Amino acid sequence: MALDQSFVGRSYPPTAAYEVGREKIREFAEAIGDENPVYTDPEAAKALGHPDVIAPPTFPFAITFKAAGLVVQDPELGLDYSRVVHGDQKFAYTRPVRAGDRLTVTSTIEAIKSLAGNDILDVRGEVHDESGEHVVTAWTKLVARAADTGTESGEA
């Protein structure tokens, strides 16, 4: 069943603050294989004008995807998460995420489309620091695959 278009524009409450730690940044950088010293060495980051280590550009995915959970778990939306795959991700930065940030995310449904029986959900996550300043916007595209409506193999 197609998702309800009236949900486009619906925003969800901000998440609890997520404190960005140096170790989380280091672990993330290691996991993606990025050895840039600005992710692990405070002095290297300060030499480039940052107050502390900064996070790799895709780091906010961890917190924005979790925040999008408020959307996908909304019983009124009716999304079957067991059929969902991650379709796309993009970011627009005001400034880098840095160690010591306390970030909140507000998720908004930007678009709902149906294509070949699949539901495509675009969720925008606005990330702000504890002073309310914008840090990054993340867009997540989720695809809820169509339910198999054909007969299973071997059936007549």
Side-chain angles (χ1 to χ4, degrees):
M1 181 167 83
L3 297 177
D4 186 345
Q5 288 289 323
S6 72
F7 278 76
V8 173
R10 181 177 286 198
S11 290
Y12 293 78
T15 61
Y18 174 89
E19 187 165 343
V20 179
R22 284 182 184 167
E23 186 64 14
K24 289 290 185 186
I25 292 173
R26 185 194 61 74
E27 290 171 348
F28 190 88
E30 281 182 2
I32 63 171
D34 194 328
E35 298 177 1
N36 189 328
V38 298
Y39 305 144
T40 56
D41 180 0
E43 294 310 312
K46 287 176 185 173
L48 293 176
H50 303 289
D52 205 330
V53 296
I54 61 171
T58 55
F59 182 87
F61 176 76
I63 59 173
T64 58
F65 189 74
K66 184 176 180 181
L70 292 173
V71 176
V72 300
Q73 294 171 6
D74 183 339
E76 293 178 26
L77 179 61
L79 181 67
D80 180 359
Y81 193 69
S82 71
R83 306 196 70 75
V84 170
V85 295
H86 183 244
D88 192 22
Q89 189 72 48
K90 62 183 176 179
F91 303 93
Y93 277 87
T94 299
R95 68 161 175 84
V97 170
R98 51 191 178 228
D101 277 340
R102 291 181 48 80
L103 304 174
T104 59
V105 183
T106 302
S107 296
T108 301
I109 297 175
E110 242 185 24
I112 296 173
K113 300 174 194 138
S114 289
L115 183 62
N118 300 309
D119 286 321
I120 302 167
L121 181 67
D122 292 319
V123 179
R124 183 182 74 244
E126 296 289 346
V127 181
H128 292 87
D129 65 19
E130 66 185 334
S131 69
E133 295 297 315
H134 179 265
V135 176
V136 60
T137 300
W139 290 270
T140 303
K141 185 178 296 291
L142 301 173
V143 179
R145 297 165 295 144
D148 183 11
T149 57
T151 60
E152 294 187 25
S153 99
E155 291 184 11

